[in-house]
């Protein structure tokens, strides 16, 4: 009688459900996973070493490219670390703007997640629905920074510029004309705050549409309920944070436990799961979108009523106004010096963390007093989560590996930093 042996299977890195350059080496017993060995390093870009070779202010753009779906949240951790070492007090208006854009980023991340995860498990329509709202918020990114993804909008001491008084509008084209064009531009006739008012009023109905497609969908529940159960003890032991931890019933959120920016001033709830499976983590992310929407609405209300500076008036870290540079040679020299040499940061070490959409994103920064960091180490939530892949998927079917990769919400820019 022929002996039946386990076989080894490569899952990725070129796989539509791998979400980046993830290579899993799976030991299979038929359709059942016996062991999963994640192989990383295929994307490695040496971001931390690159940041140590440049002036502090020239590495903000690298942060966007780590988790390239949670751009401004990454920037926030890095600039907070610099501010800690320099003792910079950020203006209140800039703190509210940062809080608002962190939550816009959270919605952007979760919209990408819900669309791609549903697509992985066979539901195509949700992807199209989610990207409809994602495009609106991408326009907000573009309006403040000029870029739709890699914004480099946060700066030590505040943000690059105040919120624009006018949103861009769609122009007539073969695809947009007449009544359709008027409908598309109806939110865009005023300022960015007017646009966000309209968006936050409309968004809960859009989340209802996602839930109508998925939450009680029999196929969706069969693919996610009871799949990839992570106990609270296991979640803590593996260093999980964010939705992976809260989905297992542990109410830990840096925005509440260690408030930064203006999170202590806004009202929101922390959704937690019960069973710790893929379905619970889906429900937590959906509720987080609703809570983020609440926070954005509160920030919009405050920002309407409270004008003020959005960056410190300190030429060491903030550039002079353009009008001043036209009249004052000293201001012009300050401008060039800031963007070529940067600034010295007092010697010391610090750790600054934010509640990024995927979990705790932290920046450990060491300065020796020079104009570039002595050491940069980034704490990426996806790296810790991926480490648990073997214990989580062992015993599951091959198709369940796809559900688990999706629920981890991996982006390899930060895993392979």
């Amino acid at each position: 009688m022929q002996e039946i042996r386990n076989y080894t299977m490569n899952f990725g890195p070129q796989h539509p459900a791998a979400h980046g350059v993830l290579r899993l080496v799976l030991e299979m017993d038929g359709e059942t996973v016996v062991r999963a060995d994640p192989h990383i390093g295929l994307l490695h870009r040496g971001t931390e070493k690159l940041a140590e070779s440049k002036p502090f202010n020239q590495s903000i753009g690298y942060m966007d490219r780590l988790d390239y779906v949670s751009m401004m949240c990454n920037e926030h951790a890095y600039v907070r670390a610099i501010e800690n070492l320099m003792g910079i007090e950020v203006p209140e208006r800039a703190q509210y703007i940062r809080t608002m854009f962190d939550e816009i980023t959270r919605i952007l991340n979760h919209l990408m997640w819900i669309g791609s995860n549903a697509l992985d498990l066979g539901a195509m329509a949700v992807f199209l629905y989610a990207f409809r709202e994602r495009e609106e918020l991408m326009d907000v990114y573009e309006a403040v920074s000029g870029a739709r993804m890699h914004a480099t909008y946060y700066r030590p001491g505040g943000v690059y510029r105040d919120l624009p008084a006018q949103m861009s509008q769609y122009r007539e084209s073969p695809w947009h004309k007449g009544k359709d064009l008027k409908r598309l531009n109806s939110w865009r006739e005023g300022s960015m705050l007017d646009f966000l008012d309209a968006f936050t009023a409309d968004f809960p109905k859009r989340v209802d549409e996602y839930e109508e497609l998925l939450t009680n969908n029999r196929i969706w529940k069969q693919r996610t309920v009871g799949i990839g159960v992570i106990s609270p003890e296991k979640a803590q032991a593996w260093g999980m944070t964010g939705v992976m931890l809260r989905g297992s019933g542990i109410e830990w959120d840096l925005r509440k436990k260690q408030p930064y920016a203006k999170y202590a001033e806004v009202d929101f709830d922390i959704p937690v799961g019960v069973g710790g499976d893929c379905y619970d983590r889906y429900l937590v992310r959906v509720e987080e979108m609703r809570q983020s929407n609440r926070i954005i609405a509160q920030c919009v209300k405050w920002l309407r009523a409270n004008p003020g500076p959005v960056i410190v008036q300190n030429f060491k870290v903030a550039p002079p106004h353009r009008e001043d540079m036209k009249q004052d040679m000293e201001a012009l020299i300050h401008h060039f010096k800031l963007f070529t040499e940067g600034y010295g940061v007092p010697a010391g070490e610090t750790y600054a963390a934010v509640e990024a959409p995927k979990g705790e994103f932290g920046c450990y920064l060491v300065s020796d007093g020079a104009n570039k960091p002595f050491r940069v180490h980034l704490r990426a939530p996806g790296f810790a989560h991926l480490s648990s892949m073997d214990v989580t998927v062992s015993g599951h079917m091959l198709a369940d590996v796809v559900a688990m990769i999706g629920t981890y919400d991996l982006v390899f820019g930060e895993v392979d930093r």
Side-chain angles (χ1 to χ4, degrees), residues 40 57 69 84 109-110 118 156 185 197 207 225 258 264 268 272 285 290 295 300 305 311 313 357 367 381 408 412 415:
I40 63 169
N57 57 338
V69 196
N84 288 349
N109 183 96
H110 289 350
N185 286 331
D197 261 340
V207 181
V225 173
Q258 298 170 12
F268 66 101
V272 292
R285 286 188 172 101
R290 297 186 190 275
I295 295 171
V300 167
I311 195 164
Q313 300 299 306
S367 172
Y408 277 166
F412 272 78
V415 175

Side-chain angles (χ1 to χ4, degrees), residues 61 64-66 68 71 75 141 145 147-153:
D64 291 300
R65 290 158 174 81
L66 289 163
Y68 38 79
M71 298 74 68
E75 294 176 22
Y141 253 57
S145 69
R148 293 177 69 77
M149 284 184 68
H150 304 311
T152 322
Y153 179 55

Side-chain angles (χ1 to χ4, degrees), residues 227-239:
I227 302 300
V229 176
I230 300 173
S231 67
E233 297 75 24
K234 191 194 289 184
Q236 288 180 302
W238 282 101

Side-chain angles (χ1 to χ4, degrees), residues 109-122:
N109 183 96
H110 289 350
L111 287 173
M112 170 67 86
W113 175 83
I114 199 171
S116 59
N117 196 28
L119 200 59
D120 288 344
L121 301 186

Side-chain angles (χ1 to χ4, degrees), residues 122-146:
M124 189 170 194
V126 189
F127 187 85
L128 304 174
Y129 279 51
F131 266 65
R132 177 187 57 194
E133 277 68 67
R134 205 166 183 272
E135 281 300 299
E136 303 285 10
L137 290 181
M138 280 298 186
D139 287 348
V140 176
Y141 253 57
E142 187 176 12
V144 293
S145 69

Side-chain angles (χ1 to χ4, degrees), residues 199-219:
F199 180 87
T200 52
D202 180 72
F203 189 60
K205 291 180 288 186
R206 303 306 181 186
V207 181
D208 291 343
E209 290 178 359
Y210 314 149
E211 289 216 67
E212 193 175 339
L213 288 165
L214 292 180
T215 302
N216 293 314
N217 183 309
R218 179 166 51 90
I219 301 171

